Amino acid sequence: MDDKGGFPHYMIKEIFEQPRGLRETIAPRVSLEDSAVRLDDVRISAEELRGLRRINIVASGTSRHAGMAGQFMIQELANLPGDVDYASEFEYRNPLIGPGELTIVITQSGETADTTAAQREAQAKGSRTVAISNVLDSTIAREADGVLYTHAGPEISIASTKAFTAQMAVLFLFALYLGQVRGKLTREQRRQYIRELLDLPEKVEAVLKSAPDCEHLADRYYKVPDFLFLGRAIHYPIAMDGALKLKEVSYIHAEGYPTGETKHGPNALIDENLPVVIIATCDRNNPGSVLRYEKSVANIKGFKQQSARVIAIATEGDREMAGLADHTVFVPRAPELLSPILEIVPLQLFAYYMTVRKGLDVDRPRNLVKSVTLE
Ligand code: BG6
């Protein structure tokens, strides 16, 4: 039975299911009137969470990009430092972790061999673990000390989309919970963040309306062999995932890079043959975000002087960007820590339409599988 719900492919169906996945992941865990987050299935005591010194995050592929964004959220809201590791590298790093540290293991399938091995390694070294998984009772979820499920629904397409945005929402919820338990956030701060979280599904609905613009971009760019995706701070993981999305489904080479790093090498590549996709949103209530935005504007001016074509993801109403970039896809205003959940959607759509335009099998890219259960 064709369960694509009238969509031509699973990937586009799952991109459009993100508002529902976010709603079902967020709503049961927050109380606006209490300004509180409830994460009963974490199964780690508040006292132990208060005693934490560090958080380590381990994952593979797109799930690791969620972890990279989550690290910013946890540091900002819970005042906890941490590292993010590739699961496939974790065992070689002989990580110096142990009691007093929490390892967050992120996995859509809950069966990825590298990630399973990494969780076992962390536990062997005395670290408690919390798994973020999209599959009930998966191996990694069962073996973890605590589990936080994403409720994105079954994700069939090999490229991860709705699980990714749900993972970032869960990481934000966990960061908020840690901040709440560790007394780092006022009641009003928590209430404001909870309200922003509850507004997310509707904002993603708004971004999905840019699908025709992304399809139009694909019509113009599908023959281009190389792309550079750029983002600063918490937007860098989104540039990384936008690049991964494009290369894993369309086979077009794409690289994600921190925007500030282009001057240390990649700038030599940027000319009329290498389009630049840059995350250049701005949370006007956040001075750091404004500073980063102004630097990105300067970067874009430089790329334009090098004859590069620039596709920008910007905040709605940003007329300066519309006049500067060759193409701009707008996302609604959102706090800096939540904006990544909106920014990835046009990049998912772009990758999807580029692939369809190339006539490839977008749900089953060559050489890839949905869950790599062998190391
Ligand atoms: C890859 C998938 O095989 O594994 C990616 O194609 C995914 O989409 C990665 O991000 C990690 O998988 P999981 O299930 O551990 O998140």
Side-chain angles (χ1 to χ4, degrees):
M1 194 268 281
D2 174 351
D3 54 353
K4 299 194 193 81
F7 287 93
H9 303 100
Y10 284 109
M11 185 175 175
I12 191 71
K13 170 175 176 280
E14 289 158 6
I15 289 171
F16 274 79
E17 283 177 336
Q18 292 185 105
R20 193 178 116 207
L22 286 167
R23 204 169 284 121
E24 294 182 5
T25 296
I26 294 166
R29 293 166 158 144
V30 295
S31 160
L32 202 51
E33 53 272 23
D34 301 343
S35 302
V37 175
R38 274 191 309 278
L39 298 180
D40 305 334
D41 37 11
V42 156
R43 296 197 301 267
I44 295 181
S45 71
E47 185 190 356
E48 193 169 348
L49 294 176
R50 274 191 285 275
L52 286 180
R53 289 192 312 276
R54 302 181 60 75
I55 296 263
N56 302 301
I57 297 174
V58 189
S60 306
T62 290
S63 296
R64 189 181 74 90
H65 298 151
M68 290 167 71
Q71 184 195 8
F72 282 94
M73 299 170 183
I74 291 168
Q75 183 159 311
E76 178 78 16
L77 299 182
N79 201 29
L80 263 174
D83 290 310
V84 181
D85 267 289
Y86 287 100
S88 58
E89 286 289 309
F90 192 68
E91 57 186 305
Y92 309 128
R93 189 163 80 75
N94 186 20
L96 300 175
I97 63 174
E101 301 190 17
L102 180 68
T103 302
I104 301 175
V105 180
I106 307 171
T107 169
Q108 189 283 132
S109 64
E111 303 300 337
T112 300
D114 290 329
T115 311
T116 306
Q119 172 161 258
R120 290 171 181 167
E121 168 107 5
Q123 289 174 329
K125 288 179 180 280
S127 170
R128 304 271 266 158
T129 66
V130 168
I132 296 177
S133 182
N134 196 45
V135 176
L136 204 58
D137 292 339
S138 56
T139 300
I140 291 171
R142 278 199 322 274
E143 296 186 3
D145 296 296
V147 61
L148 290 171
Y149 285 112
T150 47
H151 299 300
E155 188 175 71
I156 310 301
S157 193
I158 283 188
S160 184
T161 52
K162 63 177 183 174
F164 178 56
T165 46
Q167 286 168 345
M168 287 193 282
V170 164
L171 283 157
F172 189 90
L173 279 163
F174 193 36
L176 211 44
Y177 180 73
L178 286 168
Q180 170 182 303
V181 162
R182 294 164 60 88
K184 301 298 178 190
L185 296 168
T186 65
R187 184 185 174 87
E188 185 44 36
Q189 282 175 313
R190 297 201 309 264
R191 178 181 168 74
Q192 187 50 38
Y193 274 127
I194 288 169
R195 171 159 297 295
E196 291 287 355
L197 263 175
L198 290 169
D199 288 349
L200 270 184
E202 200 176 323
K203 290 185 177 178
V204 172
E205 292 283 7
V207 185
L208 288 168
K209 291 186 173 58
S210 68
D213 300 336
C214 299
E215 185 167 16
H216 168 73
L217 281 177
D219 287 343
R220 293 180 65 136
Y221 285 90
Y222 75 99
K223 290 185 178 157
V224 171
D226 271 303
F227 282 82
L228 186 60
F229 285 71
L230 302 176
R232 275 193 163 83
I234 197 171
H235 313 288
Y236 166 44
I238 302 307
M240 291 290 288
D241 207 62
L244 178 61
K245 281 294 130 329
L246 184 63
K247 69 180 137 199
E248 66 184 341
V249 292
S250 74
Y251 315 150
I252 292 171
H253 180 253
E255 193 171 5
Y257 232 87
T259 309
E261 272 301 293
T262 46
K263 55 185 175 291
H264 303 299
N267 214 16
L269 295 173
I270 297 176
D271 63 10
E272 64 279 7
N273 300 314
L274 182 69
V276 175
V277 181
I278 184 166
I279 315 276
T281 52
C282 184
D283 171 3
R284 293 281 167 201
N285 300 320
N286 179 325
S289 179
V290 173
L291 182 67
R292 283 189 284 277
Y293 171 81
E294 286 164 358
K295 286 184 178 178
S296 297
V297 166
N299 290 118
I300 293 169
K301 287 176 180 169
F303 301 150
K304 292 305 298 168
Q305 283 164 2
Q306 294 167 214
S307 308
R309 286 166 290 176
V310 175
I311 298 169
I313 308 296
T315 303
E316 64 188 8
D318 182 352
R319 284 192 295 277
E320 178 181 16
M321 192 54 67
L324 191 57
D326 295 85
H327 317 279
T328 304
V329 181
F330 293 102
V331 297
R333 289 176 183 76
E336 178 87 344
L337 293 177
L338 287 172
S339 182
I341 292 173
L342 306 178
E343 292 156 7
I344 189 62
V345 176
L347 305 186
Q348 295 167 343
L349 289 164
F350 180 63
Y352 170 77
Y353 288 119
M354 290 282 273
T355 305
V356 170
R357 201 69 183 73
K358 290 186 70 176
L360 297 169
D361 181 348
V362 70
D363 287 325
R364 285 181 298 279
R366 66 187 179 194
N367 313 330
L368 300 180
V369 293
K370 186 57 184 168
S371 178
V372 180
T373 53
L374 301 170
E375 278 197 68

